[in-house]
Amino acid sequence: MKTTPYLSFNGDCRQAFERYKQIFGGDTFQMTYGEAPPPPADAPPPPEGCGDLSAAADRIMHVTLAHGQEAFLMGSDMPPGMEKKPGGISVAVNCDDNAEAERVFKALAEGGTVQMPMAETFWAERFGMVIDRFGTPWLINGIYKQP
């Protein structure tokens, strides 16, 4: 079993994933609401509160940031009539070296809010917490300390 974080946005998903691609590398694959196939003629109306999807034609319906065949992050803009709500979840990134952890932290902190600066902790040589400019909380770990 494998999990992949799926992030929700209120209209800035495209910009967020462009930034994440710069930071983490990989390739993005995306579809806008306007590119989605139309529903079948006999489909029931969308659930109440979904709103008119044609108003969101340029918004991202789904995006994947992948390294080869491995999805790293996924996300979308919320459909019209719905909005992103705080969810009590953070994305943890575990780096193989401390320099990479510092680079990732610094890049995510640009325009964001540092919750805990990068520092040594009892479990890792480097650790920091940041909320990026798109509102996503991140936990960045460097090299883990041996028990």
Side-chain angles (χ1 to χ4, degrees):
M1 184 182 313
K2 179 181 176 247
T3 61
T4 303
Y6 196 100
L7 308 176
S8 299
F9 297 88
N10 288 328
D12 53 2
C13 182
R14 182 184 319 274
Q15 296 90 334
F17 272 77
E18 286 171 1
R19 182 69 178 141
Y20 299 155
K21 182 177 177 179
Q22 290 174 343
I23 294 169
F24 299 109
D27 296 302
T28 54
F29 307 94
Q30 64 189 24
M31 175 185 281
T32 64
Y33 284 99
E35 295 169 330
D42 60 348
E48 186 175 333
C50 273
D52 178 11
L53 294 181
S54 65
D58 291 334
R59 286 188 168 201
I60 301 298
M61 182 176 174
H62 177 76
V63 62
T64 299
L65 176 62
H67 295 117
Q69 295 298 312
E70 291 290 319
F72 177 70
L73 283 175
M74 300 168 109
S76 66
D77 284 314
M78 297 300 291
M82 302 174 91
E83 63 181 44
K84 175 182 173 179
K85 306 265 193 279
I89 191 166
S90 298
V91 180
V93 177
N94 301 301
C95 299
D96 292 332
D97 67 65
N98 293 331
E100 179 69 354
E102 292 278 357
R103 183 194 69 77
V104 168
F105 182 86
K106 182 179 177 185
L108 290 169
E110 286 179 20
T113 304
V114 173
Q115 301 291 298
M116 180 180 167
M118 288 295 278
E120 186 172 351
T121 65
F122 67 88
W123 70 87
E125 293 176 11
R126 306 304 295 153
F127 174 78
M129 298 169 49
V130 62
I131 298 174
D132 71 17
R133 64 182 176 218
F134 305 104
T136 301
W138 296 86
L139 310 172
I140 309 300
N141 283 288
I143 297 172
Y144 282 99
K145 292 182 179 178
Q146 299 301 315

